[in-house]
Amino acid sequence: MEEIVLEVQPRGELGKSKVKDLREKGFIPAVIYAEGKKSQPIKVSHRQLWQLIHQHRLESTVINLKIQDDKEQKGRPCLIKEIQHDPVKGDIIHVDFNEISLTKVIKVNVPVVAKGEPVGVRQEGGSLEHTLWEIEVECLPTDIPKDIEVDVSQLKIGDDIHIKDITFPSNIKVLNNPEAIVFSVTAPIKEEVVVPAVEGEEKQEPEVIKEKKEVPAEGAEEEKSEKEKK
């Protein structure tokens, strides 16, 4: 497991106005939650957190929080529980950390990445469809894989890769449906070719078939007149 250390500070600033001032000074308010422990308010450097977000996938990365002035000087292994953003500006406004035990299994989502270019794309003009982007696994925090790499180079048009087709490390347990499709290669979409009309070519009008008027048979009119006289 890659060790990521983030230095944080205890936070005494509580309340809307004080938290606003905290953000203006370059800090993000945060809270550490732990089972059986009281939650602890902290503040995180906006710059340091922003760097971590761009360098790592923090949703499944264990972060060792080093709290300033902590007498025990022990890091607290955590996973990010939630990152809140400003609905208008998109800035990070709050972070929740969840402290974990390194000796207890946890459930996390691990990203799936494709390796190689499918035969069906390279030679047949198909498209690679990435259906399942994350796989939920259960393992120790120290065994969380960075990602799950799947070789798709042999896929032809119409081929699929299901979860059951992937070989996973023995120290993780996959929780998704084994029949779930992760990757597939589909045939190219054929566009309908519209033939333009030739300039100057007369457009043929459809033939109009008029209703045929019924003509009485010869002698039928005379027979009708005789009956009317009677």
Side-chain angles (χ1 to χ4, degrees):
M1 179 190 72
E2 181 184 5
E3 183 180 14
I4 297 177
V5 178
L6 179 62
E7 295 183 356
V8 299
Q9 300 177 30
R11 174 166 61 93
E13 298 89 346
L14 303 175
K16 191 173 181 180
S17 59
K18 292 184 178 180
V19 166
K20 183 179 179 181
D21 293 338
L22 191 68
R23 296 191 184 103
E24 291 177 352
K25 294 178 181 178
F27 289 95
I28 298 174
V31 177
I32 301 175
Y33 295 94
E35 185 178 356
K37 295 181 181 180
K38 186 178 179 180
S39 60
Q40 180 176 355
I42 58 172
K43 53 186 175 183
V44 185
S45 165
H46 183 279
R47 181 179 58 83
Q48 291 182 8
L49 183 63
W50 193 251
Q51 288 177 347
L52 285 181
I53 290 175
H54 283 76
Q55 294 173 359
H56 305 275
R57 188 181 183 278
L58 297 185
E59 291 84 350
S60 57
T61 301
V62 178
I63 302 173
N64 198 12
L65 296 182
K66 292 289 183 71
I67 303 176
Q68 190 180 51
D69 301 329
D70 186 359
K71 295 180 180 179
E72 297 182 1
Q73 292 295 317
K74 289 184 178 180
R76 299 179 66 173
C78 296
L79 287 174
I80 288 183
K81 182 180 180 181
E82 183 182 9
I83 298 179
Q84 298 178 19
H85 295 81
D86 184 280
V88 178
K89 298 180 180 179
D91 298 334
I92 299 174
I93 58 175
H94 193 275
V95 181
D96 288 337
F97 292 94
N98 189 23
E99 186 175 5
I100 59 175
S101 169
L102 297 180
T103 59
K104 291 183 179 180
V105 296
I106 58 173
K107 297 178 182 179
V108 293
N109 291 323
V110 180
V112 185
V113 296
K115 178 184 177 182
E117 185 180 14
V119 174
V121 174
R122 186 174 64 254
Q123 298 180 2
E124 302 173 296
S127 299
L128 177 65
E129 299 292 333
H130 193 163
T131 307
L132 191 63
W133 290 87
E134 293 180 333
I135 293 179
E136 186 179 16
V137 302
E138 187 178 70
C139 62
L140 290 173
T142 52
D143 294 332
I144 299 175
K146 179 182 177 182
D147 53 45
I148 297 171
E149 194 175 78
V150 181
D151 185 2
V152 298
S153 60
Q154 300 304 312
L155 289 181
K156 299 179 181 179
I157 288 179
D159 289 346
D160 301 318
I161 292 181
H162 300 75
I163 284 184
K164 65 181 181 181
D165 302 321
I166 302 172
T167 301
F168 295 93
S170 58
N171 54 6
I172 69 172
K173 178 182 179 182
V174 179
L175 303 179
N176 296 75
N177 183 349
E179 299 296 332
I181 295 176
V182 184
F183 293 103
S184 60
V185 175
T186 58
I189 300 175
K190 295 182 179 179
E191 296 184 0
E192 184 179 353
V193 179
V194 179
V195 180
V198 180
E199 188 176 352
E201 182 179 349
E202 293 185 2
K203 186 177 180 181
Q204 293 184 351
E205 295 292 337
E207 182 182 357
V208 179
I209 302 176
K210 297 182 179 180
E211 184 180 356
K212 187 176 180 181
K213 187 175 181 180
E214 185 177 349
V215 179
E218 186 177 353
E221 191 67 32
E222 295 179 1
E223 184 179 348
K224 182 179 179 182
S225 299
E226 289 295 331
K227 288 182 179 180
E228 289 177 352
K229 289 178 181 180
K230 291 179 181 180

